Amino acid sequence: MNIDKAFYRSLMKNLFADPCEVKFWDGEVINYGEGMPQFRIDFNEPIAKAELINDPSLAFGEGYMFKKIDIVGSVQRVIESLYKNQDSFLHQNNSYDKLFKILSSSIRKSKENIQFHYDIGNDFYSLWLDETMTYSCAYFKSHEDSLLQAQKNKVAHILRKLNLHPGQTLLDIGCGWGELIITAAKTYQVKALGITLSSEQYYKTAERIKNEGLQELVEVQLIDYRELKGRTFDRVVSVGMVEHVGKDQLKAYFSAVRSLLNEAGVSLLHCITGYEESGTNSWINKYIFPGGYIPSVQELVSLMAVNKFYLIDLESLREHYTRTLEHWAQNFENALSLIMKMKDETFIRMWRLYLNSCAASFHCGNIDLHQFLFTKGVNNTWPLTRTYMHS
């Protein structure tokens, strides 16, 4: 037996929490764990040992992307099995965490990072997102809700939380394809501004505003939140955006929100959270979200306190994001024949791994999704109970 083979046979013994079957590049098949295998890993060729030891996340991610590894069975199930095995060497290797704590996110770099992910093409996103083109955690009132219904639920849930009234002003930082600002204007007759760094999102949102005849109430700008000057708002909302700003810019984000809010104004922050401070894993950072950083709950609450914000509501939607990602992953597979006309196989395998690994991360509790509602200074006119959120 060669050294590579011996290394891999030993590695696979304690990698997964579930019984599995492994087929090596020489055709040998070995069962690991007790019971019926839940999936099979096919090694078409070995991955260099140094790569696996130095950065297992990147090594396995690239291994799957470039067909060194194939998965027979549920990709999400495989990744959940990796996460659930706390004794695996994967849980002992966090050398990349320190790297992403020091990455800088200048305005120029932020634009590059956002365009890297969001300017892939509206045609691509429209194939697997719902009809509203909402690319963030949905809100499922029941297991029977479609993705479209759940995304409409999410927007309605956020807008109710903000307790909007006609004539108020609303800023959406990272407005995506415009669903929230358009719905806010139509439902509550507020004046809404959406800002984004994605050209694709900007042009699509502008088109939607025009088609809806909402130019008097809604506008969109291609601008960084740090560049928005001379305006203040009654409400500021940000959905799935703060994960992109980077650790070093979190203080600047909250400082900007403070300067953009009117006194006693209210902000809602909807974002992915972690239970300890760390960067995104190195594969995600390289191929999916460059410069990303997942803040901890305590980190965000501390920054709110520093800026004299009063936290009035906090809600976890972790399993809602699991379900959202499972819908996206299934839609992606259903649209595969069309996606194959746009993207090559490496891109498709990369995106499949991204959607399934994120679903696994939320389901296993590695990461969470929280909505924070907070006021600038004291707001004694706010409703005394949460019932207004569910009216």
Side-chain angles (χ1 to χ4, degrees), residues 58-113:
L58 188 60
F60 277 113
E62 291 185 336
Y64 181 76
M65 280 173 61
F66 301 125
K67 295 195 73 173
K68 294 180 180 180
I69 302 170
D70 276 313
I71 292 171
V72 181
S74 166
V75 176
Q76 181 181 341
R77 178 69 181 271
V78 170
I79 298 166
E80 286 188 18
S81 191
L82 281 170
Y83 288 151
K84 287 176 181 176
N85 184 8
Q86 296 296 316
D87 296 327
S88 163
F89 88 102
L90 287 175
H91 290 278
Q92 316 307 317
N93 189 310
N94 61 355
S95 59
Y96 51 80
D97 281 351
K98 295 176 183 177
L99 171 63
F100 300 115
K101 290 180 181 180
I102 60 174
L103 287 175
S104 176
S105 294
S106 64
I107 291 175
R108 180 187 59 79
K109 188 63 177 173
S110 293
K111 288 178 180 177
E112 290 174 359
N113 291 341

Side-chain angles (χ1 to χ4, degrees), residues 48-310:
K49 295 192 297 293
E51 292 178 11
L52 278 170
I53 294 169
N54 181 57
D55 194 332
S57 166
L58 188 60
F60 277 113
E62 291 185 336
Y64 181 76
M65 280 173 61
F66 301 125
K67 295 195 73 173
K68 294 180 180 180
I69 302 170
D70 276 313
I71 292 171
V72 181
S74 166
V75 176
Q76 181 181 341
R77 178 69 181 271
V78 170
I79 298 166
E80 286 188 18
S81 191
L82 281 170
Y83 288 151
K84 287 176 181 176
N85 184 8
Q86 296 296 316
D87 296 327
S88 163
F89 88 102
L90 287 175
H91 290 278
Q92 316 307 317
N93 189 310
N94 61 355
S95 59
Y96 51 80
D97 281 351
K98 295 176 183 177
L99 171 63
F100 300 115
K101 290 180 181 180
I102 60 174
L103 287 175
S104 176
S105 294
S106 64
I107 291 175
R108 180 187 59 79
K109 188 63 177 173
S110 293
K111 288 178 180 177
E112 290 174 359
N113 291 341
I114 292 299
Q115 289 165 0
F116 178 90
H117 187 86
Y118 292 96
D119 284 354
I120 293 171
N122 290 340
D123 289 347
F124 167 68
Y125 282 107
S126 67
L127 290 176
W128 53 274
L129 293 178
D130 67 288
E131 292 89 328
T132 69
M133 294 285 283
T134 302
Y135 187 25
S136 55
C137 176
Y139 185 67
F140 293 85
K141 290 187 175 182
S142 77
H143 291 287
E144 287 70 44
D145 280 348
S146 66
L147 178 61
L148 173 61
Q149 183 60 55
Q151 291 292 12
K152 288 181 176 292
N153 293 345
K154 184 268 298 294
V155 170
H157 189 54
I158 288 173
L159 297 179
R160 280 196 300 270
K161 279 189 176 184
L162 287 169
N163 197 26
L164 294 167
H165 300 287
Q168 288 184 324
T169 52
L170 169 69
L171 170 66
D172 185 356
I173 301 175
C175 65
W177 284 274
E179 179 68 14
L180 189 145
I181 52 176
I182 288 170
T183 304
K186 291 168 68 174
T187 307
Y188 294 95
Q189 293 75 54
V190 297
K191 288 200 166 187
L193 167 64
I195 61 175
T196 179
L197 292 178
S198 164
S199 298
E200 293 273 323
Q201 291 181 343
Y202 167 76
Y203 289 117
K204 181 64 176 180
T205 302
E207 179 186 330
R208 292 186 66 188
I209 293 168
K210 183 178 179 181
N211 290 343
E212 295 271 4
L214 292 170
Q215 295 95 321
E216 294 298 314
L217 287 177
V218 188
E219 62 176 312
V220 62
Q221 293 185 26
L222 188 63
I223 190 175
D224 188 280
Y225 66 96
R226 290 165 288 189
E227 298 174 309
L228 188 59
K229 307 293 183 184
R231 295 181 66 172
T232 58
F233 301 83
D234 299 306
R235 303 287 188 266
V236 174
V237 64
S238 181
V239 180
M241 171 271 175
V242 82
E243 303 91 322
H244 296 291
V245 308
K247 181 177 176 63
D248 66 317
Q249 289 297 323
L250 282 174
K251 289 182 180 179
Y253 171 81
F254 282 101
S255 177
V257 171
R258 184 182 62 193
S259 66
L260 289 164
L261 266 179
N262 292 326
E263 200 62 36
V266 182
S267 182
L268 185 142
L269 175 63
H270 167 121
C271 69
I272 300 172
T273 54
Y275 287 95
E276 55 186 35
E277 297 179 24
S278 66
T280 58
N281 75 51
S282 49
W283 181 80
I284 290 283
N285 187 75
K286 181 175 180 179
Y287 290 101
I288 307 296
F289 290 119
Y293 173 76
I294 297 174
S296 66
V297 173
Q298 58 267 35
E299 190 176 11
L300 294 172
V301 172
S302 176
L303 286 166
M304 290 173 198
V306 166
N307 284 279
K308 301 296 189 292
F309 289 128
Y310 283 71

Side-chain angles (χ1 to χ4, degrees), residues 300-333:
L300 294 172
V301 172
S302 176
L303 286 166
M304 290 173 198
V306 166
N307 284 279
K308 301 296 189 292
F309 289 128
Y310 283 71
L311 180 64
I312 55 177
D313 194 79
L314 176 60
E315 181 179 17
S316 168
L317 300 180
R318 180 178 60 81
E319 272 298 86
H320 292 266
Y321 218 161
T322 302
R323 186 171 291 273
T324 302
L325 282 151
E326 288 171 346
H327 274 278
W328 288 343
Q330 187 58 58
N331 289 349
F332 183 86
E333 299 300 335

